[in-house]
Amino acid sequence: MTVAQPQRADPGPDDRAEILALYDRGLYVQAYRRALVVGHPLTWRSLDACILGGRVLGLVGAPRASTLLFLRAYRQAPDDPVAAFRYARHVHERRGPYAALEHLDRLVAQAQEPEQRADVRLGRARALAELRDFSAAEDELVRTEQDAPDAVRVWVVRSQILGLADRLDEALSAAREALRRRAHFPAAVGIAAHAAHGLGRLDEAAALLTDAAEHVECGGLVLQLAQLELARDRPREAWASLLRAAPLFVCPEPGLMHGLAALAAEAAYEAGERDETIRLARAAATPGLRMLADRLEAGVAPRRVRLAVPAVRQAHKTCGPATLASISLFFGEPAEHLAIADEICFDGTTITSERLWARSRGFATREFTVTWDSAVDLLDRGLPFALCTQQPTSAHAQAVIGYDAPLRVLAVRDPSSPKVVMMDADSLFASQAWCGPHGLVLAPPARAAELAALTLPDSELHELAFVVADALRVHDRARASAAIAELRARAPEHVVTAAAARELAGYDTNPAAVLATVAAQLVHHPDASALQVLRLRCLAALGHAAERRSVLDTLSGGHPIFDQLLAEDLLCDSR
């Protein structure tokens, strides 16, 4: 006996037309509910239905389900230009712009219709901009404008590209042009608000988002408004926006629910709502928020210090200048972060160049190893400071502007984030123990004597390390070598000594000497991924391929950088 299987119904042409009309008006909740009249989009199988369902699900809280439908469409018809373009966007998200560009290059010949060609070119423009080839990206935009049936998308992508190029005024103008052509278009609203926020025009950004929320059903825009309200230090307004955003995600996946809970926990905490903070922090299911909930449940009463350090948004690799500008402005000293970057940046900024810039502007400066007690002492005195954190492939500067005790949480003005970031101090100190973490405090001339009188951890060692870096900057190797000799005499196994010795060995282009310092540090910090990356680079420079492969085999499965390096090695020997 054969049991009849229930037939799945795909939306017909009229159904798709109605759903698409709602989608194009930004009425995503209604589009989703209209789709459910036919059946849940995940049950759809036809090519056009999968593409439409993926578009709708992606905007009502189900990005993973959206991706599944786009992949289903591509597997059915890999030669279909629309399905192939959606797959290219998936490649971009998973493997980055270069891989996406390779895929899009193959689509150029396939795209016959003007709208399809526009999609491919706009995708290429975005990928090229992320690779920082802005002239080639603009060329793609110009070509798209010649036959694009919907010029609004061109202006949206142009705004994105101008934002990546740190040309925020022009990015905002381009987004407003898109909105002039299609009022309340969610993509244009979000980009315009982001650009206005980056320019420090928070009220303008809030107005854009608030107005759009009255006309479209886009949870992402209301969520952006909640984050903006937190940046404006308006946690109760952020909470209200979150309550408004949640119902717009009518098909929420667990990742979204956890993210909403985390943001709501932050808003509740900033508003002083202890019980709500605990409940939401546990729902967010992240280690940091679980720790916060544990401490609050233990009856810890926060004691908060928060200095009014202004936000300065960084450009590409200008976190150091942005942090200096932020602290300078706090002390009433005008500073424009891009002008600082022009002076001291080259593919990033060293803490030595930051310190020299501050000195040239009359600030007293001191470097130190950041501890909880030293951070609290400085902040209680009204002295914010720059914190440098290091990861396996990068470093980042940010301003520490406050703390919550005895929760042991530091408030950080991160130039890459529009709002104040809360950092668990103990996790920070544990993860950065191999390199400090490194702090730089500035004080105006009137407070120079006060700063000089403070006892700061490892300050004398950092002064000697500064001598090393400053000497090598002017190619005075003898002075640098003498300072390192003094460091080794005072603290032979200290992280500051090791860092200074690595700097000299790097100046000498001596990978064997660098490797020796790294190996010595790994004895005390075997889990420091950044040290392991340095070790692997030295082994490669020395030609120790077998040892490098052995180390990579051991480290594979840990930090993703090790899997990437192993894959690169395997490619080199044709595997």
Side-chain angles (χ1 to χ4, degrees), residues 396-567:
H396 191 53
Q398 52 252 290
V400 180
I401 67 169
Y403 65 86
D404 282 16
L407 292 177
R408 295 178 66 83
V409 172
L410 294 174
V412 174
R413 180 65 78 187
D414 186 331
S416 69
S417 173
K419 59 188 180 67
V420 173
V421 174
M422 306 307 293
M423 245 183 224
D424 179 74
D426 294 327
S427 298
L428 168 70
F429 300 145
S431 67
Q432 298 291 302
W434 70 274
C435 62
H438 199 161
L440 171 65
V441 59
L442 281 59
R447 302 187 65 182
E450 176 190 356
L451 179 59
L454 295 180
T455 299
L456 295 173
D458 305 324
S459 184
E460 292 183 355
L461 299 181
H462 282 288
E463 286 301 318
L464 286 169
F466 174 72
V467 171
V468 173
D470 191 41
L472 293 178
R473 181 178 64 88
V474 295
H475 306 294
D476 188 348
R477 192 189 184 287
R479 184 160 64 99
S481 184
I484 287 175
E486 188 172 350
L487 275 168
R488 284 176 170 152
R490 292 190 184 192
E493 296 185 349
H494 200 283
V495 296
V496 175
T497 303
R502 279 201 307 274
E503 188 160 6
L504 178 61
Y507 178 84
D508 291 339
T509 318
N510 187 345
V514 175
L515 182 59
T517 66
V518 170
Q521 273 197 279
L522 282 170
V523 173
H524 303 289
H525 305 284
D527 297 326
S529 296
L531 287 176
Q532 295 287 9
V533 170
L534 283 173
R535 177 189 182 190
L536 291 165
R537 287 176 179 167
C538 291
L539 291 173
L542 292 166
H544 296 173
E547 185 179 354
R548 175 183 161 93
R549 178 65 56 79
S550 175
V551 173
L552 278 170
D553 287 338
T554 302
L555 296 172
S556 180
H559 192 285
I561 186 62
F562 300 127
D563 291 331
Q564 178 184 332
L565 292 173
L566 178 58

Side-chain angles (χ1 to χ4, degrees), residues 87-164:
Y87 179 72
R89 293 184 68 170
H90 170 69
V91 170
H92 195 153
E93 291 171 4
R94 294 295 298 271
R95 295 171 51 202
Y98 186 78
L101 202 58
E102 289 185 318
H103 188 77
L104 287 164
D105 285 344
R106 294 194 292 271
L107 294 183
V108 173
Q110 291 178 240
Q112 301 298 321
E113 300 296 325
E115 186 169 346
Q116 294 170 359
R117 287 198 299 271
D119 281 340
V120 173
R121 286 172 177 162
L122 291 176
R124 281 179 49 80
R126 279 190 292 262
L128 287 164
E130 287 189 31
L131 294 168
R132 305 199 68 75
D133 190 347
F134 296 114
S135 60
E138 179 60 29
D139 289 343
E140 292 291 342
L141 290 178
V142 171
R143 293 191 188 99
T144 306
E145 285 179 313
Q146 293 171 358
D147 60 357
D150 181 1
V152 174
R153 289 179 300 157
V154 177
W155 286 100
V156 169
V157 174
R158 175 169 280 123
S159 180
Q160 291 174 323
I161 290 169
L162 289 167
L164 287 170

Side-chain angles (χ1 to χ4, degrees), residues 127-264:
L128 287 164
E130 287 189 31
L131 294 168
R132 305 199 68 75
D133 190 347
F134 296 114
S135 60
E138 179 60 29
D139 289 343
E140 292 291 342
L141 290 178
V142 171
R143 293 191 188 99
T144 306
E145 285 179 313
Q146 293 171 358
D147 60 357
D150 181 1
V152 174
R153 289 179 300 157
V154 177
W155 286 100
V156 169
V157 174
R158 175 169 280 123
S159 180
Q160 291 174 323
I161 290 169
L162 289 167
L164 287 170
D166 304 313
R167 295 158 59 184
L168 291 183
D169 280 311
E170 295 171 77
L172 180 55
S173 296
R176 285 201 172 277
E177 175 61 23
L179 290 171
R180 186 187 69 78
R181 294 167 181 254
R182 189 188 300 180
H184 311 117
F185 182 36
V189 173
I191 293 167
H194 181 74
H197 192 170
L199 290 165
R201 290 148 59 172
L202 274 62
D203 291 344
E204 181 180 348
L208 282 162
L209 294 166
T210 302
D211 179 59
E214 297 295 328
H215 296 87
V216 297
E217 299 168 343
C218 181
L221 291 183
V222 187
L223 198 58
Q224 188 177 351
L225 179 59
Q227 294 169 324
L228 178 63
E229 296 292 14
L230 278 175
R232 299 165 85 193
D233 197 22
R234 290 157 49 102
R236 296 193 182 279
E237 288 77 3
W239 177 268
S241 293
L242 285 167
L243 290 178
R244 187 175 178 183
L248 296 173
F249 295 111
V250 287
C251 187
E253 292 177 342
L256 172 71
M257 297 299 291
H258 290 154
L260 286 171
L263 197 59

